[in-house]
Amino acid sequence: MNDRALPCGTVAVVGPGRVGTVLAAALRHAGHRIIAAAGGSEESRRRFATRFPAVATAADLAVAAGADLVVVATPDDAVADAVAALAGPADALGEGQRVVHIAGSLGLSPLRPARLAGARVAACHPAQTIPSADADPAVLHGAAWAVTATPPDRGWARALVRQVGGVPVDVADARRGLYHAALVIGSNAVGAAVSVARQLALAARIPDPAAFLEPLVRVSVENALAQGALALTGPVVRGDVGTLGRHLARLSEDAPELAAAYRALNQVVLHQARPGLDPDVVRAVGDVLAAGGEGS
């Protein structure tokens, strides 16, 4: 697909938090002019103003009026209300403007008021973690972006993603929820599992858990990305109920606060590995994980 050229113009950010601020920096670097930041908390607007001292900031969304591009970077649950306010009470949207929200779980439905006001609309979400509002916009370089737009708007939406160093990937409106669920599990759930592993290593008096976990986690993730559930190893896949039982017995003595997480994570492993396991192994492993004690 040939992405249509997107001329640089003025930009207003609604929701100047971490992602909105870093995206504004990336758009400025691409040649756009940031003219306003609206909504969000007083603290987020203050941080935005520190990074963009010549930009108007206000709680009132009307400050976004007249911008060529309006980026809605609020939390997902606030997108619909923000767009409705921009198109309604704030009277900030009209013909010739473009409105993009960056909520991963949402498609085009929340943007309907903007479309009815005459604006062009798209949903563009970066598959990247933004650590802070002070992050270098280069953090977005090379990141895949889910782009959801109707055919007339798809070209400029993809061009916008490329301007900030991203890689646009078309995602159907009806698939946004599944797409975002995948990212949540791939990021936060993996991070939670590693956090539990780190706590267990510390409980075992390992002074530097990363020395053991970093190479193991890195290779495990690489293998899982390439092979899926076939890459799973360990006592669940081997049907080693004795080892699982001993783990849980030790946890009940030394780290009972982590026992539930250990069982839950290994039950996920069992569910993923189940198609390739003997039914007797599945039953035995399931029983010891459910019981939470010494197995045989």
Side-chain angles (χ1 to χ4, degrees):
M1 177 184 295
N2 293 324
D3 300 341
R4 297 177 185 174
L6 179 65
C8 291
T10 56
V11 177
V13 176
V14 175
R18 288 183 299 173
V19 180
T21 302
V22 173
L23 183 53
L27 288 167
R28 180 174 63 178
H29 182 75
H32 293 271
R33 184 163 62 92
I34 314 302
I35 62 169
S41 67
E42 183 177 349
E43 175 62 19
S44 68
R45 292 194 300 274
R46 185 194 64 77
R47 287 196 303 266
F48 192 95
T50 299
R51 192 159 186 175
F52 301 91
V55 171
T57 61
D60 187 352
L61 302 191
V63 73
D68 298 318
L69 172 67
V70 179
V71 177
V72 180
T74 65
D76 292 24
D77 287 353
V79 170
D81 287 345
V83 175
L86 284 164
D91 194 24
L93 301 180
E95 296 286 344
Q97 289 177 289
R98 293 180 171 89
V99 180
V100 174
H101 80 63
I102 57 173
S105 66
L106 302 175
L108 298 177
S109 178
L111 294 167
R112 186 170 184 270
R115 184 185 294 281
L116 291 176
R120 313 288 294 274
V121 301
C124 301
H125 175 258
Q128 180 58 284
T129 296
I130 307 298
S132 75
D134 298 323
D136 189 324
V139 71
L140 296 171
H141 291 180
W145 286 62
V147 174
T148 302
T150 59
D153 293 319
R154 196 170 296 143
W156 68 259
R158 290 171 58 92
L160 177 66
V161 168
R162 293 194 187 280
Q163 283 183 341
V164 297
V167 179
V169 179
D170 295 332
V171 175
D173 200 321
R175 303 298 180 188
R176 294 280 294 203
L178 289 174
Y179 150 78
H180 193 242
L183 266 59
V184 168
I185 295 299
S187 175
N188 296 307
V190 170
V194 174
S195 179
V196 170
R198 181 179 180 276
Q199 290 176 278
L200 287 169
L202 289 171
R205 303 295 189 267
I206 303 297
D208 181 14
F212 287 88
L213 294 175
E214 191 279 330
L216 181 66
V217 169
R218 177 172 47 78
V219 173
S220 295
V221 169
E222 289 174 354
N223 290 343
L225 287 171
Q227 303 174 46
L230 293 176
L232 293 170
T233 63
V236 169
V237 176
R238 294 194 299 268
D240 193 349
V241 296
T243 295
L244 293 168
R246 285 188 291 275
H247 287 175
L248 287 163
R250 278 274 42 96
L251 281 166
S252 68
E253 292 290 328
D254 299 329
E257 72 280 6
L258 298 176
Y262 178 91
R263 286 196 298 272
L265 290 167
N266 276 296
Q267 283 165 345
V268 173
V269 174
L270 178 61
H271 179 76
Q272 289 292 303
R274 186 185 190 114
L277 299 180
D278 184 278
D280 290 337
V281 170
V282 172
R283 280 192 294 271
V285 171
D287 286 347
V288 72
L289 291 175
E294 185 97 35
S296 59

